[in-house]
Structures are given as C-alpha cells and as structure tokens.
C-alpha cells in the first residue's frame, strides 16, 4: 500500500493546484517551489482552470503493471491555457478523433487501483472540451 | 584531453540468457576485459546497472560483483542513471583515474532484464520516468518516445516511414555483429506495418531489451602505453542533466542535456562534429536517434531524420551510427548499454571491429541517454 504517497498529492490530483512565481509570474504545474523560468522561489499556490489543448498524444498498447487491464489507453501532453504542459490520460474520446491542437478540459477520474484491498487512486484526466463536443 | 586510456574491453552477446545470472553475466564480461588488458591489477570497480533491485531483487551490486570477479576487498560501487547507467559508470571510472586517487579502474555494465517479462518488466523500465507525474498516469518509456515522435512529426511535417532508415541501418550492421541480439535485416517497406507498442512507436522503432554485460578497464595514459599495444585515449568525457519529465521542458523537441554534454566533451577533445568518424548514439527509439544527431550538431534542428533517409549514417556515410547494430539490433540491456557503446567505439578505433569496421576510424563518440534524455553522457575516444 502506498497511501501517503498519493494522499500528499491530493490537491494537485483533484484540483490541479500548482504554483505561481512571484518574480516573473510564470505558472507552474506540477508545483516545484523553484521557478523553471527564472529559478526564483515560487511557492504561491495557483489553481489552474483545467482548460488547454493537446500538444502530443499516444495510444499505449504495452502497459506497465497496474494498467495492463485497461489497454489500449491514450496519454497526452496537454498545453494548459496558463502555459505549462501536463501529462495525463485522455478520456471520453475515440482514438480517431484526437489531433494535435484539440481543445480539452480536465475531469476527475479513477487513475488506477491497487488490488481488492488497496487504495483507489483518483486524479485528473482530460476530455474534449464540452463546447467542442456540442458543435 | 584526459590522461585516461582504455587498456581492455569485454562483452557478452545480448540475448535472453535464461541460464545465466546477473553476477555470472558481469563476470563473463569482466573476465574478457581482464584477458584483453593482460592484467588482474584493479583498484576500483564501477558497476553500471539500472534494474537489479527491480527485476533480480538484488541491489548492492558493487560488493557482489567485485567479490564474484575475484576482486574481493577492492573499492566497488554501483552507479544508477536509468539506461544511462553504463555511460555514467564509465564517466566515474574516468574521473577516478584522472584524479590520481585510483590507478586502474574497471567498469562493468550489466543488466538481467528477462527475470520478469511483460507488464512487470515494463513497469520496472518506467521507473526512469517521473513516478508522481508521469508513470501514475500509465506512461511507459515507449509512451514517452511516442509523445516525442508524434510532436516531431507534427512540427516538422514528417511521416512514420521517414524514421525507417535508423532501424534499417541498425539491423544491417547488427547482421554483421555476432554478439548482436537481432541479426536479421529489416526491409524498409515492413517498417510502417510493425505492431504498435505505443502509437506511433512500433516494435521496429523501439530497441528491444535483453540480458548482457560489457566491461572496460582504464588506467593513466603513460601506464597504458607500457601495458598494451593500442591504448584508446579518452579525449572527452561529460555528463549533463535535464528534467525527468517531458512536460517540464520549455522546448520538448530539444535534448538540452545531450547538447550540453556533447559540447563539453568536444571542447575537451578539441574537435567539432565533422571530426567524428563514428557515433554510437542512443537509438532507444528512432526519434531519439534523430534528436541526438540534432543536439550534438550533426544535423540542423528538425533535420536529423534526413541523415537516415539519405544514407549518411551507414558505415561508409558521412556520420556512421549504430555500427554494431546500436540499441535497436545489438539490443538494449538498459544499464549495460552505455558500456557496450564504449567497447564498440574502442574496437572500431583499434581496427578490431571485424565486418562492422568503419574504414580509417580514429575519433569515435558515444552518447548514452537516460529515459527522456534527462541524463546524457558523452564520451569521445581517439587513437593517434
């Protein structure tokens, strides 16, 4: 069981809480306390909107342990509207519909389970932005 | 230029060594290197290994390997930097000898990958990535390669088939290397039809994991001259780092650590890319080969794939790569790979590469990358 490892990341996983740099204003996700851009301390919390577009994507056929029963699944690099890239699974979408530049939004989903007795790990995934889906 | 030279090399075939343990594999490579150097006088051992703990349930490899190789008592330590472990271990040996504190150092890269197969093995390899922000989402090394490849195709307007030349070249050279894992040639038209691992990365883009060990012995150059007829000088040695996760990089399609380590090594060696006679690069995925050529100055940004398409990476081309098959055909025994690269460059420079020989090779470069290129180790070897 890896309860504390996942518990300590809950605000990031459930709410996309990152950080902002006081010095240059760059937004950081995942949070890392030191700005990627100017290397100044960046500890002020910032909640991302969860809106972005697909920067790159793949469909995984050979999965690691813990994911072997969910293949094939899609993983993307998402370019958030505030700037950073985030790695996450795509959900609620057919493989053929996905393209670089596709507008997407964050949703909360089950990431994986750790067997019958273990914790169920929830977190962010991304789906096609709702206004796009309606069109 | 460092004051360090290679006096012995050894390697095992890369394959599924079902009947051979981690410690035995290491010993076979060490035995060959000791024979090659005609010495047993070793002052320090550096073991490059990525997955001993994950797959063989065996850490503490420094002491284990030293003891098993008949070097009990000698200073020994394991170096881990994902699939750059081998290159990083060689770098530590170079530093140790260059410092003057160690007279003769032995490096052995060893990996026993087939203790587990399928999903557990894929999970073990994925520990090269960022556990909290990549692997928790189910990302694998192949998935990482696929995210790079898709973006590369998008930005530079190339197709999957444009990467075929890297694998075709690797297999053409691997076919001539008796120690290679795969000795079959690859037909270019078969490339795009290969089974997908992580789309667009297919089985023919991705280097296969295998068991193997390679060893190198280094000592001070003036001593090397008295010991062996053909010492191979370490002209440049550099290790650089980058973010583990692709998503933390400002420029995803630029291997900043590969560039930094290559530049530093070339400055030490006093050479530029056009002086390099052959380049053992880290073709864990075809896109990594393209990005490495670009980062090291052999091709402009976005143009690395053209070298493969235009036949410039063959043994008689402008910049021969993967001359013994590379990771793709020789096989990729993760933490041992970087030491295989050093052995191969040394054999080329000694003129002992057999059918894989690059004509008149005097300056060779090896670059070992960890995971997404978060660790990059570049070495330049030369003979006079």
């Amino acid at each position: 069981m890896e309860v504390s490892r996942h518990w300590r990341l809950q605000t990031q996983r459930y709410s996309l809480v990152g950080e902002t740099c006081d010095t240059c204003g760059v937004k950081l996700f995942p949070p890392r306390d030191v700005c990627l851009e100017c290397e100044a301390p960046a500890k002020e919390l910032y909640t991302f909107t969860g809106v972005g577009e697909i920067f790159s994507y793949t469909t995984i056929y050979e999965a690691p342990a813990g994911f072997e029963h969910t293949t094939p699944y899609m993983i993307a690099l998402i370019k958030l509207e505030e700037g950073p890239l985030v790695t996450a699974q795509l959900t609620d979408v057919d493989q053929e519909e996905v393209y670089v530049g596709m507008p997407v939004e964050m949703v909360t989903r089950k990431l994986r389970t750790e067997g019958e007795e273990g914790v169920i790990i929830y977190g962010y995934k991304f789906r096609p932005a709702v206004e796009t889906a309606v069109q | 230029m460092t004051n360090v030279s290679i006096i012995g090399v050894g390697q095992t075939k890369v394959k599924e060594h079902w009947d051979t343990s981690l410690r035995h594999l290491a010993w076979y490579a060490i035995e060959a290197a000791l024979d090659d150097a005609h010495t047993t006088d070793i002052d320090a051992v550096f073991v490059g290994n990525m997955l001993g703990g994950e797959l063989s349930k065996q850490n503490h490899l420094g002491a284990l390997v030293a003891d098993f190789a008949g070097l009990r008592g000698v200073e020994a330590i394991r170096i881990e930097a994902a699939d750059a472990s081998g290159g990083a271990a060689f770098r530590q040996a170079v530093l140790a000898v260059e410092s003057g504190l160690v007279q003769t150092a032995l490096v052995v890269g060893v990996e026993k990958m087939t203790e587990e197969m399928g999903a557990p093995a894929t999970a073990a390899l994925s520990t090269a990535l960022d556990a909290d922000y990549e692997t928790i989402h189910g990302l694998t090394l192949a998935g990482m390669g696929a995210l790079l490849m898709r973006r590369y195709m998008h930005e530079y307007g190339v197709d999957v088939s444009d990467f075929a030349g890297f694998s075709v070249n690797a297999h053409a050279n691997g076919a001539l290397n008796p120690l290679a894992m795969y000795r079959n040639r690859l037909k270019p038209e078969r490339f795009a039809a290969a089974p997908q691992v992580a789309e667009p990365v297919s089985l023919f883009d991705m280097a296969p994991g295998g068991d193997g060990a390679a060893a190198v012995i280094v000592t001070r150059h003036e001593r090397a001259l008295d010991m062996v007829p053909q010492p191979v000088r370490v002209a440049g040695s550099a290790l650089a780092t980058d973010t583990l996760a692709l998503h933390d990089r400002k420029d995803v399609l630029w291997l900043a650590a590969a560039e930094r380590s290559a530049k530093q090594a070339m400055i030490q060696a006093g050479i530029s890319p056009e002086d390099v006679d052959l380049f053992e690069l880290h073709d864990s995925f075809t896109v990594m080969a393209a990005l490495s050529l670009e980062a090291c100055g052999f091709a402009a940004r976005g143009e690395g794939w053209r070298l493969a398409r235009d036949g410039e990476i063959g043994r008689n081309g402008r910049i021969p790569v993967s001359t013994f098959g590379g990771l793709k055909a020789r096989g990729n025994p993760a933490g041992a790979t970087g030491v295989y690269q050093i052995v191969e460059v040394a054999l080329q420079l000694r003129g002992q590469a057999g059918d894989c020989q690059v004509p008149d090779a005097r300056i060779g470069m090896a670059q070992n990358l960890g995971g997404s290129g978060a660790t990059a180790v570049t070495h330049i070897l030369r003979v006079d």
Side-chain angles (χ1 to χ4, degrees), chain B residues 89-236:
Chain B
F90 183 71
R91 160 95 177 139
Q92 292 305 309
V94 171
L95 289 175
V97 172
E98 182 76 9
S99 78
L101 292 174
V102 168
Q103 183 166 258
T104 304
L106 182 145
V107 188
V108 58
V110 59
E111 205 71 75
K112 182 71 193 154
M113 300 191 70
T114 57
E115 302 288 31
E116 300 238 32
M117 307 293 276
T122 302
L125 281 165
S126 302
T127 59
L129 303 174
D130 187 323
D132 284 347
Y133 300 105
E134 292 185 315
T135 46
I136 188 60
H137 300 288
L139 192 67
T140 58
L141 276 181
M144 181 281 302
L147 291 172
L148 280 175
M149 188 172 173
R150 176 91 65 191
R151 187 67 197 181
Y152 191 101
M153 290 161 62
H154 175 79
E155 281 197 23
Y156 303 138
V158 300
D159 293 323
V160 166
S161 58
D162 291 321
F163 293 90
F166 289 110
S167 296
V168 171
N169 172 67
H171 276 260
N173 292 335
L176 305 173
N177 174 9
L179 300 179
M181 185 167 181
Y182 288 110
R183 303 195 63 198
N184 60 311
R185 291 177 182 276
L186 195 61
K187 293 193 178 84
E189 61 271 21
R190 294 277 310 282
F191 183 79
Q196 294 291 325
V197 179
E199 197 180 351
V201 165
S202 76
L203 275 182
F204 289 170
D205 278 296
M206 181 177 174
D211 303 330
V216 178
I217 299 169
V218 290
T219 193
R220 293 181 72 75
H221 184 65
E222 62 271 21
R223 193 161 172 272
L225 288 170
D226 292 335
M227 292 177 74
V228 292
Q230 279 184 299
V232 176
R233 189 79 169 257
V234 180

Side-chain angles (χ1 to χ4, degrees), chain B residues 276-277 310-321 358-359:
Chain B
V276 177
D277 296 320
D310 299 344
E312 302 203 69
I313 59 172
R315 286 194 312 286
N316 294 303
R318 180 158 71 82
I319 179 67
V321 310
V358 171

Side-chain angles (χ1 to χ4, degrees), chain A residues 12 55-56 58 61 73 87, chain B residues 133 138 147 151 197 199 247 250:
Chain A
Q12 299 167 30
F55 181 84
S56 190
T58 176
Y61 291 93
Y73 56 90
T87 302
Chain B
Y133 300 105
L147 291 172
R151 187 67 197 181
V197 179
E199 197 180 351
H247 60 234
K250 195 154 66 171

Side-chain angles (χ1 to χ4, degrees), chain B residues 14 38 55 59 64 83-84 89 103 112 134 153 158 178 203 213 218 227 232 252 254 260 266 302 335 346 373 381:
Chain B
V14 180
H38 301 291
L55 297 181
N59 282 325
L64 178 80
D83 42 340
Q103 183 166 258
K112 182 71 193 154
E134 292 185 315
M153 290 161 62
V158 300
L203 275 182
V218 290
M227 292 177 74
V232 176
V252 170
W254 190 252
R260 186 183 172 115
M266 285 189 204
L381 310 182

Side-chain angles (χ1 to χ4, degrees), chain B residues 46-64:
Chain B
F46 297 91
V47 181
N49 172 264
M50 173 182 178
L51 299 167
E54 298 282 335
L55 297 181
S56 301
K57 312 297 178 225
Q58 182 67 67
N59 282 325
H60 213 162
L61 292 183
L64 178 80

